[in-house]
Amino acid sequence: MKTAIIALAAATALLSGAARAEEIHKDGMTGPEVAAWLQKAGYKAELTKDSSDDPMINSAAEGHDFKIYFYDCSEAKRCKALQFSAGFDLKEPLKLEKANEWNRKNRYLKVYLDDDGDPYVQYDVNVNAGRTMAGLDDDFGVWTGMIGNFTTFIDW
């Protein structure tokens, strides 16, 4: 009986450890870590740098190019936040009323217009303080799904 209880306790500990999602470093993620995560999921990930010398990634999903910007970065380039961003060069400017309609009716993915009336969408994600890779996967699913919804909304 004592052996069965010990075996059950060991199995429970093993299963709970396996069931835990992989945690993201408490100080965030590096460019190479985000690039590897995208590539593991089958997406392209071209790691570059932005004008502040922070990591930046060029990628694509659902047939649309996008960038990942890194924010709140330490000197070691471990960053606490990511921003997914995509722009759409339209033949005719998107009306401000249409952009505002999107922002009123949709959470998460927000749109703004550049000086030419072309829409840009952004989705911000925190990647520190107890976040998990499973949570990041979920955020990415929201991003890719909403990109499809947005392109339908603007008749892209």
Side-chain angles (χ1 to χ4, degrees):
M1 177 73 164
K2 188 175 183 181
T3 304
I5 292 172
I6 292 171
L8 180 59
T12 301
L14 181 64
L15 288 174
S16 66
R20 275 189 306 194
E22 179 185 353
E23 285 194 19
I24 294 172
H25 189 280
K26 68 179 179 64
D27 294 326
M29 297 180 76
T30 65
E33 288 170 345
V34 175
W37 162 73
L38 281 169
Q39 291 166 344
K40 184 177 178 183
Y43 295 92
K44 79 173 190 173
E46 176 193 355
L47 181 60
T48 63
K49 294 179 183 181
D50 68 12
S51 60
S52 299
D53 204 36
D54 288 330
M56 184 177 76
I57 293 176
N58 296 312
S59 189
E62 308 301 317
H64 305 287
D65 292 335
F66 67 89
K67 294 184 183 301
I68 301 175
Y69 296 98
F70 290 68
Y71 290 94
D72 303 324
C73 301
S74 68
E75 287 184 27
K77 299 300 179 199
R78 189 165 286 285
C79 307
K80 295 179 180 182
L82 306 175
Q83 182 183 78
F84 297 91
S85 180
F88 300 88
D89 188 16
L90 303 179
K91 292 178 184 173
E92 297 292 323
L94 188 69
K95 294 187 182 297
L96 180 60
E97 296 81 15
K98 185 108 171 149
N100 286 340
E101 177 186 347
W102 172 268
N103 286 334
R104 264 192 318 278
K105 293 182 177 181
N106 293 278
R107 295 174 60 200
Y108 306 113
L109 189 73
K110 297 303 175 194
V111 63
Y112 72 90
L113 304 178
D114 70 6
D115 291 338
D116 296 323
D118 292 322
Y120 282 76
V121 289
Q122 297 175 329
Y123 180 58
D124 293 290
V125 176
N126 287 327
V127 289
N128 68 326
R131 291 294 314 267
T132 64
M133 294 306 291
L136 183 57
D137 290 342
D138 184 62
D139 284 327
F140 191 68
V142 170
W143 164 251
T144 58
M146 293 205 69
I147 284 288
N149 294 346
F150 183 75
T151 57
T152 299
F153 179 77
I154 63 171
D155 296 321
W156 180 256

